[in-house]
Amino acid sequence: MAAATNKEVHLEIAHILFVDTVGYSKLSTGEQSYLLETLSKVVRATDRFRAAEAAGQLIRLPTGDGVALVFCDDPESPIQCALEICTALRQHPQLSLRMGIHSGPVSRVVDVNDHCNVAGAGVNVAERIMTCGDAGHILLSQRAAADLAEFPRWRPHLHPLGECAGKHGAKFEIVSFFSEEFGNAELPTIFKREGQPPPRKFRALGSRWPWLVAGALLLAALAVFCFHLFPSRAVGPTTAGHPVPPAATTPTAAIPEKSIAVLPFENLSDEKENEYFADGVQDEIRNELAKVADLKVISRTSVMQYRTSVKRDLRDIARSLGVAHVLEGSVQRAGGQVRVSARLVDARADRNLWAQHYDRKMTDVFAIQSEIAEEIVIQLQARLSPDEKAAIEEPPTADLTAYDLYVQAKALGATLTYSSRSKENLFKAVSLLKEAVKLDPHFLLAWCLLARTHDQIYLIGVDHSSERLALAGKAVDTALRLRPDSGPAHLAAAFHFYSGLRDYDRARAELAIARKVLPNEPLIFEIEGYIHRREGRYAESIAAMQRALELDPQNLILLQQIATSYESLRRYPEMAAILDRALALAPDDNGTRLARAVIELVWRADPLPARDLINDILLRQPEAATDLAEGWFLVALCERDPAAVRRALAALPPGGCREDGLPFPDAWCKGVAARLQGDTEAARGAMKEAYAEVEKIVAENPNYPEALGVLGVIDAGLGRKEEAIRKGRRAAELLPVSKDSINGELLIEYLAVIYAWTGEKDLAVEQLAIAASMPGELSYGYLRLHPYWDPLRGDPGFEKVVASLAPLPSTTPPPRK
């Protein structure tokens, strides 16, 4: 039974604009009165002020030398009002203002005059944000900026400044809003210190996932952590210019009655670093509910976009997620105490079913999570077996410090992208988890996550050593020894057998065990889909991923993966339709936009849409060059544009030359660029550098087929014919298509490159014909345009293979500009 609680103040999220008159204290009393009267007229005349006041969604607070406007309707209201004020100020040059914006908790109170008023941290933070600025500045908290970054019209004008210390030593992440017309582009005085970087464009957390198109490795967050995915040949951002369909929603009649989504919990703690703890509470409640077979529970990945800082329409959210109910709440942690509030809503009728507050010691946080989960089961009238009840009530660990470390490690998965930073995060996660299991050697979930993290490091080639694989295996063995019947342990084992050992039968058997106790785990179907695809069973792979989407309907990565499968099948219209659905979820995701534009390149040998998109994004978002670099490099090569190749090469991040996900070093891309430009000496020097780097990897891992194949291609570039052919053949033998249909096909393709570059045209055509006859990354556009195949142009056999992949004249192209 839930703990009884005391009556408390009701908190709600408001959106505050704090306006201050600069230099007010230096003015005479008469001047002060005149300016305040002018300010009041300006503010009250704005459309946003009048609309909010008419709707009863505005509270205004005089502040002596300014005003605070508390909007209770929309996170855009403060900035809209601020810009209307700025426009009006052009008629009042004597009025010099600075503004601060924040979204945060407030409580409604009745003041001594019996007027409705508000109090709370939200107003205080808005004022402190404002005090960090000078005349003309419009400063936002990181939280308010994240809200606005969801809207394309605001994002270009958001410029992070860094951390600012406000009153009483409190520190805040500050974002400056300015454009050519509004705001102040100058760095605030408080930030003017040696080494302070200039303002940069705002990037919303999680809004940018580089997608490596064509079998490339993708590091992505998938529910409890990241798993290695295998997307398509291009990477990065662009603009496809096609109509985007509305987000898929589930018809009301098809929504199960016993279905629920646990939305992100609000972090009400004073310390912003406790946000990961609030996410952990929400995720553990979701995990507890997911153990109940009689419920449909949506995955964490699909709900995290609905953070409490964004105004929620619960009915629309539930319909988009395909559920009848939602749970929302808040977490406040202070010292040894924790307060958790939760509210269950029937979203179809927008009706509260249950709500409760829990004030406990931190040591009771797991009991709170279990109590909430069991109460939800009761409210939804779901069947709960004795085993499920026991699983819900079992705490993950008795050590709160170990739990903190685990939650921090898990949170790293939500910020990973394919970059040098992602490598740092992986190793940081390992360090946190090692400390967690040291504190509590029986912490099962930490062992499972540690195993998957080691497997991830091994899989993406950051450390593809037998030692790393052994560490993953040891963690899996420990988890299974601790709890032989544990679903998470068997899921970790499945991922280990799939990603590290390529033992697909064992992986499938482990998934079958995990499914019995994890009925709502989409990763089971997702990994099953990857296994099917590695085995060349694409229809089964797509079907498994579609099942995962039922539990994780807003998972962008899943949609990208399904699109990748259609690309391998060369079913480009279906690929376009799936990417359109992905863009309906994330219209500004540059990786997905580029993938959509690259369809024309691979299908019809038309690089123009991709090139136009890249140029458009670079014009609007110069800072996106790094995200674009790998895809940009591919398109520039296909267009034989040396200037674009040089620019793309300069933008490549360290480790960004992983062509097709294989371990090509950065020096390889330099060599390819020099080769295109006819600089033989530079090309040879770069390829020698690349060879030395990959040779070390092969020396340490002689049975690493992907690295051996890369070494063979570099040998071919250096003119070492016999060595190149020997290594290319050996790589293909070590990893046949029967063992891995994705990388096996790629090694056949690269063996064809080796033959082509060493003068063995017939053998090259033979390998290309084999690759063209099976699902894979070989495409009409790639063969027609990429300089790798220049030695074969005009050869009848080669032209026949190219023609076999040509689009049918009657095929309807995907819509685009």
Side-chain angles (χ1 to χ4, degrees):
M1 179 176 291
T5 58
N6 297 323
K7 184 177 180 180
E8 61 183 67
V9 174
H10 175 68
L11 294 177
E12 59 182 293
I13 298 300
H15 315 288
I16 302 102
L17 170 62
F18 214 106
V19 182
D20 177 58
T21 306
V22 178
Y24 180 84
S25 61
K26 298 178 181 179
L27 302 175
S28 66
T29 303
E31 288 174 324
Q32 290 177 345
S33 298
Y34 173 74
L35 287 183
L36 285 181
E37 182 180 353
T38 302
L39 173 61
S40 178
K41 290 179 180 178
V42 166
V43 171
R44 293 175 66 87
T46 61
D47 291 340
R48 187 61 255 168
F49 178 101
R50 289 188 290 183
E53 187 172 50
Q57 296 295 315
L58 174 67
I59 298 175
R60 55 185 186 275
L61 307 173
T63 61
D65 54 355
V67 63
L69 302 179
V70 182
F71 294 91
C72 303
D73 54 354
D74 192 308
E76 293 184 275
S77 290
I79 191 64
Q80 289 172 337
C81 189
L83 298 188
E84 291 179 32
I85 292 172
C86 289
T87 300
L89 288 181
R90 293 167 184 166
Q91 305 300 319
H92 304 279
Q94 76 281 15
L95 199 56
S96 181
L97 305 179
R98 58 180 177 174
M99 306 185 198
I101 295 175
H102 176 61
S103 294
V106 299
S107 59
R108 295 177 185 260
V109 296
V110 177
D111 63 23
V112 70
N113 296 314
D114 292 329
H115 294 156
C116 181
N117 211 321
V118 293
V123 178
N124 297 336
V125 171
E127 180 184 15
R128 292 172 188 176
I129 295 293
M130 179 203 66
T131 60
C132 294
D134 305 323
H137 278 124
I138 305 173
L139 302 184
L140 294 82
S141 66
Q142 175 78 9
R143 176 170 176 176
D147 289 348
L148 294 185
E150 299 298 323
F151 302 96
R153 64 181 175 278
W154 302 127
R155 187 179 297 114
H157 310 309
L158 297 170
H159 308 267
L161 299 179
E163 196 173 70
C164 175
K167 293 181 180 179
H168 313 302
K171 294 184 177 181
F172 306 95
E173 287 290 332
I174 305 293
V175 177
S176 180
F177 184 100
F178 62 81
S179 65
E180 292 182 1
E181 295 182 81
F182 302 110
N184 183 351
E186 290 295 319
L187 202 63
T189 302
I190 198 170
F191 283 93
K192 289 182 178 178
R193 56 180 183 270
E194 186 177 356
Q196 175 70 36
R200 57 195 186 280
K201 293 287 180 66
F202 183 79
R203 295 190 180 196
L205 179 64
S207 66
R208 244 178 265 278
W209 284 103
W211 185 17
L212 311 186
V213 187
L217 300 176
L218 172 69
L219 198 56
L222 300 177
V224 275
F225 201 65
C226 335
F227 282 107
H228 184 71
L229 311 176
F230 299 90
S232 199
R233 191 182 294 274
V235 186
T238 76
T239 216
H242 53 278
V244 178
T249 58
T250 305
T252 302
I255 294 176
E257 174 67 28
K258 300 174 185 179
S259 55
I260 187 170
V262 182
L263 301 185
F265 276 31
E266 176 79 0
N267 173 35
L268 299 181
S269 306
D270 292 335
E271 298 82 8
K272 68 176 183 179
E273 59 267 22
N274 272 329
E275 185 167 336
Y276 76 85
F277 181 78
D279 287 345
V281 171
Q282 169 231 355
D283 197 33
E284 288 305 316
I285 293 172
R286 193 214 71 85
N287 289 342
E288 304 288 19
L289 291 171
K291 298 170 184 176
V292 181
D294 199 31
L295 290 177
K296 174 188 175 182
V297 184
I298 298 301
S299 172
R300 180 179 189 270
T301 310
S302 286
V303 301
M304 290 311 292
Q305 62 180 297
Y306 302 113
R307 286 201 173 274
T308 50
S309 58
V310 179
K311 184 179 180 182
R312 289 172 168 172
D313 185 323
L314 297 184
R315 183 172 296 184
D316 284 348
I317 291 172
R319 193 160 48 237
S320 296
L321 296 175
V323 296
H325 304 90
V326 296
L327 181 74
E328 59 181 0
S330 63
V331 178
Q332 187 169 13
R333 180 180 182 181
Q337 297 293 123
V338 63
R339 166 176 289 182
V340 179
S341 300
R343 180 173 75 111
L344 177 66
V345 179
D346 182 338
R348 297 163 300 181
D350 199 15
R351 179 170 60 92
N352 287 349
L353 296 181
W354 169 85
Q356 186 60 274
H357 302 288
Y358 301 82
D359 286 298
R360 304 276 190 85
K361 294 181 179 178
M362 267 298 301
T363 50
D364 289 335
V365 67
F366 303 128
I368 294 173
Q369 292 164 179
S370 298
E371 288 176 25
I372 292 175
E374 290 193 47
E375 185 63 41
I376 300 306
V377 171
I378 293 170
Q379 293 292 331
L380 298 186
Q381 300 179 17
R383 293 188 302 274
L384 184 66
S385 72
D387 287 343
E388 290 169 347
K389 180 177 174 61
I392 287 176
E393 293 176 350
E394 181 181 9
T397 176
D399 192 310
L400 284 175
T401 303
Y403 180 73
D404 261 357
L405 294 167
Y406 164 74
V407 173
Q408 290 179 60
K410 189 164 61 169
L412 288 171
T415 61
L416 291 177
T417 58
Y418 187 75
S419 65
S420 58
R421 181 63 177 168
S422 69
K423 300 173 187 177
E424 295 173 17
N425 285 344
L426 283 170
F427 287 116
K428 183 177 179 181
V430 166
S431 178
L432 291 168
L433 292 166
K434 286 171 66 176
E435 184 64 25
V437 297
K438 181 179 179 181
L439 291 170
D440 181 2
H442 295 89
F443 193 173
L444 176 73
L445 294 179
W447 281 110
C448 294
L449 189 54
L450 180 60
R452 289 198 299 274
T453 311
H454 283 311
D455 275 324
Q456 186 75 11
I457 292 171
Y458 177 84
L459 186 59
I460 67 173
V462 174
D463 178 6
H464 197 85
S465 65
S466 57
E467 291 79 10
R468 180 64 59 181
L469 194 60
L471 288 172
K474 180 181 177 182
V476 168
D477 291 343
T478 302
L480 289 171
R481 187 183 72 251
L482 289 172
R483 284 288 303 275
D485 58 344
S486 164
H490 286 284
L491 184 56
F495 187 62
H496 180 61
F497 285 119
Y498 158 69
S499 63
L501 303 177
R502 287 192 170 103
D503 188 339
Y504 303 137
D505 289 338
R506 288 285 300 277
R508 196 177 284 108
E510 294 293 339
L511 288 177
I513 299 172
R515 186 179 292 118
K516 294 177 181 178
V517 288
L518 298 175
N520 285 286
E521 180 51 75
L523 285 178
I524 292 173
F525 302 109
E526 192 167 352
I527 296 173
E528 184 179 43
Y530 298 147
I531 292 172
H532 286 316
R533 190 164 62 185
R534 291 283 168 177
E535 294 178 324
R537 303 207 301 267
Y538 279 79
E540 292 95 327
S541 174
I542 292 171
M545 291 187 194
Q546 292 283 9
R547 291 188 69 187
L549 272 177
E550 294 175 10
L551 294 168
D552 205 356
Q554 307 282 14
N555 190 326
L556 180 65
I557 304 303
L558 269 173
L559 291 169
Q560 291 174 339
Q561 289 301 303
I562 294 171
T564 296
S565 294
Y566 281 127
E567 183 187 20
S568 294
L569 294 170
R570 304 181 183 93
R571 291 167 57 179
Y572 300 113
E574 289 96 328
M575 178 186 181
I578 289 294
L579 289 179
D580 286 343
R581 180 177 168 185
L583 285 168
L585 294 176
D588 298 318
D589 184 87
N590 285 328
T592 307
R593 296 167 69 196
L594 179 56
R596 182 60 171 78
V598 164
I599 291 177
E600 287 295 307
L601 189 157
V602 297
W603 187 10
R604 302 180 184 284
D606 180 6
L608 184 60
R611 185 231 297 166
D612 287 348
L613 178 57
I614 291 169
N615 290 339
D616 180 71
I617 287 185
L618 291 176
L619 180 64
R620 298 170 184 270
Q621 306 173 37
E623 76 282 0
T626 299
D627 292 340
L628 283 169
E630 189 175 343
W632 184 12
F633 189 72
L634 168 68
V635 174
L637 284 176
C638 288
E639 290 203 292
R640 315 302 175 96
D641 185 342
V645 166
R646 286 194 298 272
R647 291 175 64 205
L649 184 63
L652 273 175
C657 186
R658 294 179 62 88
E659 188 172 297
D660 291 332
L662 302 186
F664 282 94
D666 293 347
W668 167 255
C669 284
K670 296 177 184 177
V672 170
R675 184 184 174 106
L676 179 71
Q677 296 165 31
D679 190 338
T680 305
E681 184 177 350
R684 187 169 183 81
M687 289 189 178
K688 283 184 176 180
E689 181 184 342
Y691 186 89
E693 188 172 337
V694 181
E695 187 179 34
K696 292 179 182 178
I697 298 174
V698 173
E700 295 172 358
N701 307 280
N703 292 319
Y704 183 7
E706 291 90 344
L708 189 61
V710 167
L711 204 58
V713 176
I714 300 173
D715 270 325
L718 291 169
R720 302 168 181 165
K721 179 175 180 176
E722 299 303 322
E723 282 293 293
I725 293 174
R726 180 180 63 80
K727 290 169 184 169
R729 286 176 173 171
R730 177 58 180 159
E733 291 170 0
L734 285 172
L735 191 60
V737 172
S738 60
K739 192 172 184 180
D740 184 337
S741 73
I742 297 176
N743 285 6
E745 186 273 337
L746 283 172
L747 290 177
I748 291 174
E749 199 176 315
Y750 280 102
L751 180 57
V753 173
I754 290 171
Y755 284 136
W757 285 16
T758 57
E760 296 290 346
K761 292 186 179 181
D762 289 345
L763 292 175
V765 170
E766 179 183 309
Q767 294 302 310
L768 284 177
I770 293 172
S773 68
M774 64 179 68
E777 305 308 330
L778 201 63
S779 68
Y780 171 72
Y782 182 53
L783 290 178
R784 276 282 309 276
L785 301 176
H786 204 289
Y788 281 179
W789 310 111
D790 286 356
L792 301 179
R793 305 212 181 276
D795 181 273
F798 174 74
E799 299 301 337
K800 183 178 179 181
V801 173
V802 175
S804 72
L805 297 176
L808 298 175
S810 60
T811 306
T812 302
R816 66 180 180 87
K817 285 183 179 178

